[in-house]
Amino acid sequence: PVPPKFDKSDFQSPTISELRAIGIGVKTCPGKLDMIVYCPLMGRCPYCQSALINANSVGKRKLCYAVPWPKTIVGVDMRCGKCNKHFMTHDPNYVNTLPSGEQIKRDFVTTKRNGSHISLLRLLRSGLTVAQVERYVEDEVRQHYLMLKSNYIELWDKVDAMRGVGKVNVAPRDAFPPFPSHYTASRPHLTAMFVKDYWENKPHIMRELRAILSQHSLAVDHQRKVVKRTLGDGVVGRGGQTFTICGDFGLICGVYVVPDTALSWVKKAMSEVINRHESVGVEVPKSLYMDCGCCSGKLGFTTGEVTSVASLWRTLFTIKLDAMHLMLRIGREINAEHPRRKKFLVDLSHAIFVQHKGDRERLICARESAGLDGPPTRTERVKYIRRVVGEPEDVAERMTLVLKAHCEIDGQCRMQAEAAGLEVDDLTVADVAYPLVTKRVMGVFQLQLVHVRNGCISDDPERLPYVRVGTVNFHSTGHHLDHYQSLRGTSKVEAVHSVLDRVFYSQRGIGSEVFDARLGWWLLGYNRRRLRGLGKKVPPDSMPPKVCEHYIARGLCTDYPDWSIAAPGSEANLKIGYDYCRSVTGVEQDSELDLDEEAVRTNSDQTVPDAQEEVPMVATSAEALEELGLDAVDFVDETPSIFLSTSQPTSQEHQEHESPSATEPPRSTATNAPSNVDMAIEETSSVSSPAEEAEKMAIDDSPPDERRERNWRSVPLKEVTPGRRRNVSRLRSVGGDPTCVPPDFNNSMLAVWEELWHTMPQSGRVGVTVTTLLQRYKERCRAERKRMQDTAETPPALLPVSFARAKNWLLRQQQAQSQALQIGAVNEEAREVVAELSLCLAEQPASTATLLEQPARPASPVIAQPVLSLGPEPVTDQARAEERAEGKHRKKVGEIAGPSKKKATPNKKKKDIPPELQERQERASARMLELGVPPLQDSSDGKRRCPVCDQFRTVSDKTPEGLIHRVLGRSNKIWCPYADDRSILEAFEKEQKERMQAAWRKAGEAKRLKKAQHPPATS
């Protein structure tokens, strides 16, 4: 066997006739790399759009990285017969002139050096980092290399075993070359290829994104976290944000990078979303959900004069405040360790959202049939129970009732503490009398109540905020429950932020172009997954829109009737990511990539180590809402892992902010003193003058930096997907450990553990308490066994208990013990207040009852009719003949000139004649007139002329006196016999003779010196 060399000798060397015969395909040859041939000839010149193109020569062969083994790419060098320019058949500009059927057959991306195959590009499109793809490619190539080496060794051994019959190996056994590291793609190369692939698919990706429409509402929000991981400070500055626009069902209309949260930066993006609806005849959504800017923060607010972007939006949309952010504003002012914080926020959620009683009863019945205990979970409530937000006055009254009830509970706690002789002045959160409703909480509540009374969170009676997605067989019990999905709130934007953060979490310092490429492919797949979750038939996530459009337009694919794409040319109106930022700021940044040299910055694709690639769980106020099981979350992503990340109200334009009183609480030094709730509510309920209202609404005068630092908390929760469960009991039994059960496994054990729990003193540390309980339980078991052995009775049912099971049981006991304190039932009076509040919140106001009786609309996202295109028409022989005939006709009539092989030179401006040359020309004219020499006429014989006398100056052209023109040395100065004196020529000849003699003497001296230094050898 002959070992390979892993260099250019492994490349195939085709002829141009072979390439023309193959056209588009792959040519294989034993012992050589597979060769990808791409030379379609039915396109046009990318420079002049002429069809008169000809195959000139075989193009440069390039290495194409692929798995499991690289290939080579070869094309044809084409020459345009009209403009004489050259280009390759796999040049993207030439490929765009081909029909779509030929374009999609180009399954690689190239630079001037090499390229990458579609097998690698699909991995990058799917979201894998460049480092992950690099490791995968190296692993695949190395395995294939070892297979080739093994085959060579096996064949060599077979030939060596047949030496007796004349078989001889032509190469040594160890002649197989080492691993070709240049056959594995590097990170800079993969990064450059990924960006170039996105640029080639970007027009079709933007067309598909522009086809995303909304019917009910839009939701917008900013996020800072993702932009911090990019190298875009030169474009966006150090305060960059991503601005997201979501439509119905969580479909993303666009994600844009802006310098800050000012609304003036996003005006162009919102205009494009409005324009895409109007261009296809779809009504623009009437509701716009935001986390700020819903009103001025004053009671009785009405839309006035358009003086800013926010006021302009109020004339186009009905701006709604998301209820989740309203509760977050109140909840973040309550001490996080207060035992009644969870109860207060749950009551506040029940006051805002009114549930459908029939839906709840059906869900409870289905849970009982499935054998599930306890109340419905948050996820079940969101999916199976319809909820509405009633009239502003009804919601304000219910929220006020919750506040009054908890103020009464605060009073009862204080009174009970005083009766018990406890401290009631200098309190901490660990004290029973520590109030929940402080002056700070009261101030924020008053401000948010203004938004409630202005109708900022109420649902539109004419357009229900939920739709019916389908029917679910609940836990296969036979109970079929309707599955609903909410259309309100910025919760869906928060879900997008969580997913987007996870997409870019494992990368640091990526360039703006790489960011746009990852963002574009991610948006494509995210929207398709959302549509697929609604039962729509759309293509797979990583299938390029260009491929989908071609096969659907030709009628070859009918599996995706719900897929849509906008008209060709409309992609120019839509920009995303940093591309949008450049268009609104006018700031251009130097590219981080050099696609020809395939070099990127060293930190353009840094990744977190494998052990740190998962998102850590960080507790925030959003996590608190999540743990509370509140109904404020109206949207859950397709994977249960994506919940809320807190996003506080953001600032608007520099000249117009939402009234600080609407978002920030009044500053108070005494934060733990209770307030007079009746007086506060009464003041808020009455409409007062602007001056009086300004006095009541405390304005946050803290610096903007402090407010921004305090307001922005946007850390998502991470859901750990449960994998294969470890069978702990089996592993322990294999190791010889006894099987352990929880303390409440049977009645005998439960009685013993409750006795031990109730008789032992309280300890501040759970671990110490569990250790003590286990020790006492083992002593009890030993005593019981000894007693049974003496009496020969059956052993008691006291089984071993592990530390973890005992700790969980103890935590449940402590939680049950503190349940009364968590709901505020410190005495009988407070207990009656809690019960009365629950009954009041369970009642349905008349306005909400009317809304809940209306049937739910089916989930039907707006899908416009796709505008399909098959690309340019193929160039035929007839079209070339017609263009050739037209060119000949135009050349004949003088409209155009034929192609010139000489390079066109710009017209040189004539210089002024020097006085010395002008004087010489006058003397030459006089001498020629004296000798009777006529001036020469125009001639095309190509002889050189003298610039002085304008006569031929060759050796054969002599004057009547027998003289010829001479060139004086290397200065190229011409001696003219008609204008110059003979003494000038004689002086030049004399000087030339002297120079020659000096040169001869110098050469002779050098020769003599050499002989003296090296005399000839004598015999």
Side-chain angles (χ1 to χ4, degrees), residues 297-299 446-454 684 697:
K298 298 182 179 180
L299 196 62
Q446 294 179 31
L447 301 179
Q448 305 313 311
L449 207 61
V450 173
H451 292 286
V452 175
R453 295 186 182 278
N454 286 340
T684 309
M697 300 299 177

Side-chain angles (χ1 to χ4, degrees), residues 249-261:
F249 313 106
L251 297 174
I252 304 176
C253 298
V255 177
Y256 317 89
V257 176
V258 291
D260 50 51
T261 58

Side-chain angles (χ1 to χ4, degrees), residues 979-996:
D980 300 326
D981 190 33
R982 293 186 182 181
S983 60
I984 298 177
L985 180 61
E986 294 174 354
F988 169 73
E989 291 177 346
K990 182 179 180 181
E991 181 181 0
Q992 186 180 26
K993 183 177 180 181
E994 292 176 354
R995 285 199 305 268
M996 293 178 64

Side-chain angles (χ1 to χ4, degrees), residues 582-812:
R582 297 185 189 96
S583 66
V584 296
T585 60
V587 178
E588 293 291 340
Q589 184 182 24
D590 294 338
S591 174
E592 301 91 354
L593 306 177
D594 186 354
L595 299 186
D596 295 332
E597 298 298 332
E598 300 168 4
V600 295
R601 297 183 181 178
T602 56
N603 58 346
S604 62
D605 188 47
Q606 297 178 0
T607 58
V608 178
D610 296 340
Q612 303 177 6
E613 286 188 357
E614 294 187 357
V615 183
M617 297 184 66
V618 182
T620 60
S621 54
E623 180 182 358
L625 283 181
E626 188 68 28
E627 293 178 352
L628 298 179
L630 295 181
D631 295 344
V633 184
D634 288 321
F635 177 80
V636 180
D637 190 57
E638 66 273 7
T639 57
S641 59
I642 302 131
F643 294 128
L644 292 179
S645 62
T646 56
S647 177
Q648 306 301 339
T650 56
S651 61
Q652 299 186 22
E653 296 176 89
H654 301 292
Q655 66 272 17
E656 181 211 287
H657 291 268
E658 182 185 3
S659 175
S661 61
T663 59
E664 295 296 332
R667 303 300 173 194
S668 175
T669 56
T671 59
N672 58 350
S675 57
N676 192 335
V677 63
D678 295 319
M679 182 183 299
I681 300 301
E682 186 176 352
E683 290 178 357
T684 309
S685 303
S686 59
V687 179
S688 53
S689 63
E692 296 174 349
E693 202 165 16
E695 293 181 6
K696 290 187 294 183
M697 300 299 177
I699 299 178
D700 184 5
D701 55 356
S702 61
D705 295 339
E706 295 183 4
R707 281 183 287 169
R708 187 178 300 110
E709 180 66 24
R710 183 180 62 255
N711 290 345
W712 280 99
R713 300 288 188 270
S714 181
V715 181
L717 295 178
K718 182 184 74 69
E719 178 76 8
V720 179
T721 304
R724 175 180 172 270
R725 295 180 178 271
R726 293 178 66 245
N727 194 338
V728 181
S729 301
R730 178 180 177 277
L731 294 177
R732 284 180 174 173
S733 63
V734 171
D737 294 342
T739 302
C740 298
V741 296
D744 54 355
F745 184 72
N746 54 48
N747 295 332
S748 301
M749 295 178 60
L750 181 60
V752 173
W753 276 88
E754 287 181 347
E755 179 184 352
L756 297 175
W757 161 247
H758 293 151
T759 56
M760 74 174 299
Q762 295 291 334
S763 175
R765 295 177 59 188
V766 177
V768 176
T769 306
V770 174
T771 303
T772 306
L773 280 175
L774 281 174
Q775 184 178 0
R776 294 187 178 185
Y777 175 70
K778 291 179 180 180
E779 293 176 356
R780 175 70 67 87
C781 292
R782 185 171 58 253
E784 289 291 333
R785 285 195 300 269
K786 185 177 180 180
R787 185 177 63 84
M788 292 302 175
Q789 290 176 0
D790 297 340
T791 58
E793 296 180 5
T794 305
L798 301 180
L799 305 180
V801 178
S802 65
F803 182 89
R805 294 181 182 273
K807 183 179 179 180
N808 293 335
W809 179 84
L810 182 60
L811 291 175
R812 291 196 301 269

